[in-house]
PDB file of all heavy atoms in Angstrom:
ATOM      1  N   ASP A 543      40.118  -1.605 -13.828  1.00 91.00           N
ATOM      2  CA  ASP A 543      39.685  -2.856 -13.206  1.00 91.00           C
ATOM      3  C   ASP A 543      38.260  -3.219 -13.631  1.00 91.00           C
ATOM      4  O   ASP A 543      37.558  -3.945 -12.943  1.00 91.00           O
ATOM      5  CB  ASP A 543      39.763  -2.763 -11.677  1.00 91.00           C
ATOM      6  CG  ASP A 543      38.701  -1.843 -11.094  1.00 91.00           C
ATOM      7  OD1 ASP A 543      38.268  -0.925 -11.803  1.00 91.00           O
ATOM      8  OD2 ASP A 543      38.297  -2.050  -9.935  1.00 91.00           O
ATOM      9  N   SER A 544      37.846  -2.725 -14.786  1.00 96.00           N
ATOM     10  CA  SER A 544      36.463  -2.905 -15.219  1.00 96.00           C
ATOM     11  C   SER A 544      36.249  -4.264 -15.881  1.00 96.00           C
ATOM     12  O   SER A 544      37.191  -4.984 -16.218  1.00 96.00           O
ATOM     13  CB  SER A 544      36.074  -1.794 -16.210  1.00 96.00           C
ATOM     14  OG  SER A 544      36.828  -1.922 -17.409  1.00 96.00           O
ATOM     15  N   PHE A 545      34.978  -4.599 -16.061  1.00 98.00           N
ATOM     16  CA  PHE A 545      34.607  -5.768 -16.850  1.00 98.00           C
ATOM     17  C   PHE A 545      33.507  -5.350 -17.810  1.00 98.00           C
ATOM     18  O   PHE A 545      32.921  -4.275 -17.688  1.00 98.00           O
ATOM     19  CB  PHE A 545      34.161  -6.932 -15.945  1.00 98.00           C
ATOM     20  CG  PHE A 545      33.011  -6.616 -15.018  1.00 98.00           C
ATOM     21  CD1 PHE A 545      31.685  -6.813 -15.409  1.00 98.00           C
ATOM     22  CD2 PHE A 545      33.247  -6.132 -13.736  1.00 98.00           C
ATOM     23  CE1 PHE A 545      30.629  -6.528 -14.554  1.00 98.00           C
ATOM     24  CE2 PHE A 545      32.199  -5.843 -12.868  1.00 98.00           C
ATOM     25  CZ  PHE A 545      30.886  -6.039 -13.281  1.00 98.00           C
ATOM     26  N   PHE A 546      33.230  -6.215 -18.806  1.00 98.00           N
ATOM     27  CA  PHE A 546      32.179  -5.930 -19.771  1.00 98.00           C
ATOM     28  C   PHE A 546      30.896  -6.657 -19.380  1.00 98.00           C
ATOM     29  O   PHE A 546      30.917  -7.834 -18.993  1.00 98.00           O
ATOM     30  CB  PHE A 546      32.600  -6.348 -21.182  1.00 98.00           C
ATOM     31  CG  PHE A 546      33.594  -5.415 -21.820  1.00 98.00           C
ATOM     32  CD1 PHE A 546      34.795  -5.893 -22.336  1.00 98.00           C
ATOM     33  CD2 PHE A 546      33.324  -4.063 -21.932  1.00 98.00           C
ATOM     34  CE1 PHE A 546      35.701  -5.038 -22.931  1.00 98.00           C
ATOM     35  CE2 PHE A 546      34.222  -3.195 -22.535  1.00 98.00           C
ATOM     36  CZ  PHE A 546      35.415  -3.683 -23.023  1.00 98.00           C
ATOM     37  N   THR A 547      29.776  -5.969 -19.537  1.00 98.00           N
ATOM     38  CA  THR A 547      28.481  -6.519 -19.169  1.00 98.00           C
ATOM     39  C   THR A 547      27.436  -6.085 -20.204  1.00 98.00           C
ATOM     40  O   THR A 547      27.759  -5.414 -21.181  1.00 98.00           O
ATOM     41  CB  THR A 547      28.094  -6.070 -17.745  1.00 98.00           C
ATOM     42  OG1 THR A 547      26.923  -6.761 -17.320  1.00 98.00           O
ATOM     43  CG2 THR A 547      27.883  -4.567 -17.665  1.00 98.00           C
ATOM     44  N   ASN A 548      26.183  -6.496 -20.008  1.00 98.00           N
ATOM     45  CA  ASN A 548      25.074  -6.140 -20.892  1.00 98.00           C
ATOM     46  C   ASN A 548      25.257  -6.693 -22.314  1.00 98.00           C
ATOM     47  O   ASN A 548      24.899  -6.069 -23.306  1.00 98.00           O
ATOM     48  CB  ASN A 548      24.893  -4.616 -20.943  1.00 98.00           C
ATOM     49  CG  ASN A 548      23.501  -4.206 -21.383  1.00 98.00           C
ATOM     50  OD1 ASN A 548      22.510  -4.687 -20.829  1.00 98.00           O
ATOM     51  ND2 ASN A 548      23.400  -3.326 -22.357  1.00 98.00           N
ATOM     52  N   TRP A 549      25.775  -7.908 -22.388  1.00 98.00           N
ATOM     53  CA  TRP A 549      26.025  -8.580 -23.669  1.00 98.00           C
ATOM     54  C   TRP A 549      24.760  -9.355 -24.043  1.00 98.00           C
ATOM     55  O   TRP A 549      24.448 -10.375 -23.455  1.00 98.00           O
ATOM     56  CB  TRP A 549      27.210  -9.504 -23.494  1.00 98.00           C
ATOM     57  CG  TRP A 549      27.764 -10.113 -24.740  1.00 98.00           C
ATOM     58  CD1 TRP A 549      27.208 -10.150 -25.980  1.00 98.00           C
ATOM     59  CD2 TRP A 549      29.017 -10.803 -24.848  1.00 98.00           C
ATOM     60  NE1 TRP A 549      28.022 -10.806 -26.857  1.00 98.00           N
ATOM     61  CE2 TRP A 549      29.149 -11.216 -26.196  1.00 98.00           C
ATOM     62  CE3 TRP A 549      30.038 -11.091 -23.954  1.00 98.00           C
ATOM     63  CZ2 TRP A 549      30.262 -11.930 -26.647  1.00 98.00           C
ATOM     64  CZ3 TRP A 549      31.145 -11.792 -24.393  1.00 98.00           C
ATOM     65  CH2 TRP A 549      31.257 -12.208 -25.732  1.00 98.00           C
ATOM     66  N   LYS A 550      24.035  -8.893 -25.049  1.00 97.00           N
ATOM     67  CA  LYS A 550      22.686  -9.417 -25.313  1.00 97.00           C
ATOM     68  C   LYS A 550      22.434  -9.919 -26.726  1.00 97.00           C
ATOM     69  O   LYS A 550      21.417 -10.571 -26.970  1.00 97.00           O
ATOM     70  CB  LYS A 550      21.651  -8.330 -24.999  1.00 97.00           C
ATOM     71  CG  LYS A 550      21.622  -7.910 -23.543  1.00 97.00           C
ATOM     72  CD  LYS A 550      20.543  -6.860 -23.299  1.00 97.00           C
ATOM     73  CE  LYS A 550      20.448  -6.512 -21.819  1.00 97.00           C
ATOM     74  NZ  LYS A 550      19.371  -5.524 -21.556  1.00 97.00           N
ATOM     75  N   SER A 551      23.311  -9.641 -27.667  1.00 97.00           N
ATOM     76  CA  SER A 551      22.984  -9.897 -29.071  1.00 97.00           C
ATOM     77  C   SER A 551      24.148 -10.555 -29.796  1.00 97.00           C
ATOM     78  O   SER A 551      25.321 -10.355 -29.429  1.00 97.00           O
ATOM     79  CB  SER A 551      22.629  -8.581 -29.765  1.00 97.00           C
ATOM     80  OG  SER A 551      22.599  -8.708 -31.169  1.00 97.00           O
ATOM     81  N   ILE A 552      23.849 -11.296 -30.849  1.00 97.00           N
ATOM     82  CA  ILE A 552      24.912 -11.869 -31.670  1.00 97.00           C
ATOM     83  C   ILE A 552      25.610 -10.792 -32.501  1.00 97.00           C
ATOM     84  O   ILE A 552      26.666 -11.042 -33.085  1.00 97.00           O
ATOM     85  CB  ILE A 552      24.375 -12.996 -32.589  1.00 97.00           C
ATOM     86  CG1 ILE A 552      23.291 -12.462 -33.529  1.00 97.00           C
ATOM     87  CG2 ILE A 552      23.877 -14.180 -31.786  1.00 97.00           C
ATOM     88  CD1 ILE A 552      22.846 -13.490 -34.569  1.00 97.00           C
ATOM     89  N   GLN A 553      25.041  -9.611 -32.537  1.00 98.00           N
ATOM     90  CA  GLN A 553      25.714  -8.482 -33.197  1.00 98.00           C
ATOM     91  C   GLN A 553      26.714  -7.795 -32.254  1.00 98.00           C
ATOM     92  O   GLN A 553      27.541  -7.001 -32.708  1.00 98.00           O
ATOM     93  CB  GLN A 553      24.695  -7.437 -33.679  1.00 98.00           C
ATOM     94  CG  GLN A 553      24.029  -7.773 -35.009  1.00 98.00           C
ATOM     95  CD  GLN A 553      22.983  -8.865 -34.868  1.00 98.00           C
ATOM     96  OE1 GLN A 553      22.148  -8.818 -33.951  1.00 98.00           O
ATOM     97  NE2 GLN A 553      23.013  -9.840 -35.761  1.00 98.00           N
ATOM     98  N   ASP A 554      26.621  -8.089 -30.956  1.00 98.00           N
ATOM     99  CA  ASP A 554      27.546  -7.502 -29.994  1.00 98.00           C
ATOM    100  C   ASP A 554      28.905  -8.196 -30.089  1.00 98.00           C
ATOM    101  O   ASP A 554      28.981  -9.386 -30.417  1.00 98.00           O
ATOM    102  CB  ASP A 554      27.022  -7.663 -28.568  1.00 98.00           C
ATOM    103  CG  ASP A 554      25.693  -6.966 -28.341  1.00 98.00           C
ATOM    104  OD1 ASP A 554      25.323  -6.115 -29.174  1.00 98.00           O
ATOM    105  OD2 ASP A 554      25.032  -7.275 -27.332  1.00 98.00           O
ATOM    106  N   SER A 555      29.956  -7.461 -29.778  1.00 98.00           N
ATOM    107  CA  SER A 555      31.286  -8.077 -29.787  1.00 98.00           C
ATOM    108  C   SER A 555      32.256  -7.262 -28.935  1.00 98.00           C
ATOM    109  O   SER A 555      31.996  -6.101 -28.591  1.00 98.00           O
ATOM    110  CB  SER A 555      31.830  -8.188 -31.214  1.00 98.00           C
ATOM    111  OG  SER A 555      32.047  -6.900 -31.778  1.00 98.00           O
ATOM    112  N   ILE A 556      33.369  -7.907 -28.618  1.00 98.00           N
ATOM    113  CA  ILE A 556      34.492  -7.261 -27.940  1.00 98.00           C
ATOM    114  C   ILE A 556      35.704  -7.458 -28.829  1.00 98.00           C
ATOM    115  O   ILE A 556      35.959  -8.575 -29.310  1.00 98.00           O
ATOM    116  CB  ILE A 556      34.746  -7.867 -26.548  1.00 98.00           C
ATOM    117  CG1 ILE A 556      33.489  -7.799 -25.687  1.00 98.00           C
ATOM    118  CG2 ILE A 556      35.904  -7.152 -25.856  1.00 98.00           C
ATOM    119  CD1 ILE A 556      33.569  -8.645 -24.410  1.00 98.00           C
ATOM    120  N   THR A 557      36.451  -6.396 -29.079  1.00 98.00           N
ATOM    121  CA  THR A 557      37.612  -6.502 -29.965  1.00 98.00           C
ATOM    122  C   THR A 557      38.854  -5.921 -29.310  1.00 98.00           C
ATOM    123  O   THR A 557      38.769  -5.059 -28.432  1.00 98.00           O
ATOM    124  CB  THR A 557      37.373  -5.781 -31.305  1.00 98.00           C
ATOM    125  OG1 THR A 557      37.189  -4.378 -31.058  1.00 98.00           O
ATOM    126  CG2 THR A 557      36.161  -6.348 -32.021  1.00 98.00           C
ATOM    127  N   TRP A 558      39.998  -6.411 -29.760  1.00 98.00           N
ATOM    128  CA  TRP A 558      41.307  -5.883 -29.363  1.00 98.00           C
ATOM    129  C   TRP A 558      42.143  -5.698 -30.615  1.00 98.00           C
ATOM    130  O   TRP A 558      42.215  -6.601 -31.460  1.00 98.00           O
ATOM    131  CB  TRP A 558      42.047  -6.852 -28.442  1.00 98.00           C
ATOM    132  CG  TRP A 558      41.453  -7.073 -27.091  1.00 98.00           C
ATOM    133  CD1 TRP A 558      41.802  -6.466 -25.918  1.00 98.00           C
ATOM    134  CD2 TRP A 558      40.410  -8.006 -26.760  1.00 98.00           C
ATOM    135  NE1 TRP A 558      41.048  -6.957 -24.890  1.00 98.00           N
ATOM    136  CE2 TRP A 558      40.183  -7.890 -25.369  1.00 98.00           C
ATOM    137  CE3 TRP A 558      39.643  -8.905 -27.503  1.00 98.00           C
ATOM    138  CZ2 TRP A 558      39.214  -8.659 -24.718  1.00 98.00           C
ATOM    139  CZ3 TRP A 558      38.681  -9.662 -26.852  1.00 98.00           C
ATOM    140  CH2 TRP A 558      38.476  -9.538 -25.477  1.00 98.00           C
ATOM    141  N   ASP A 559      42.772  -4.557 -30.746  1.00 97.00           N
ATOM    142  CA  ASP A 559      43.776  -4.368 -31.791  1.00 97.00           C
ATOM    143  C   ASP A 559      45.078  -4.967 -31.271  1.00 97.00           C
ATOM    144  O   ASP A 559      45.626  -4.493 -30.267  1.00 97.00           O
ATOM    145  CB  ASP A 559      43.967  -2.883 -32.103  1.00 97.00           C
ATOM    146  CG  ASP A 559      42.764  -2.284 -32.800  1.00 97.00           C
ATOM    147  OD1 ASP A 559      42.090  -3.017 -33.545  1.00 97.00           O
ATOM    148  OD2 ASP A 559      42.493  -1.091 -32.582  1.00 97.00           O
ATOM    149  N   ILE A 560      45.557  -6.015 -31.925  1.00 97.00           N
ATOM    150  CA  ILE A 560      46.716  -6.727 -31.408  1.00 97.00           C
ATOM    151  C   ILE A 560      47.792  -6.875 -32.472  1.00 97.00           C
ATOM    152  O   ILE A 560      47.552  -6.716 -33.676  1.00 97.00           O
ATOM    153  CB  ILE A 560      46.341  -8.128 -30.867  1.00 97.00           C
ATOM    154  CG1 ILE A 560      45.901  -9.056 -32.006  1.00 97.00           C
ATOM    155  CG2 ILE A 560      45.278  -8.026 -29.790  1.00 97.00           C
ATOM    156  CD1 ILE A 560      45.793 -10.513 -31.594  1.00 97.00           C
TER     157      ILE A 560
END
Side-chain angles (χ1 to χ4, degrees):
D543 71 333
S544 66
F545 57 90
F546 285 126
T547 188
N548 202 51
W549 190 347
K550 297 182 176 182
S551 167
I552 60 173
Q553 278 75 47
D554 299 344
S555 65
I556 304 168
T557 63
W558 293 263
D559 290 329
I560 68 168

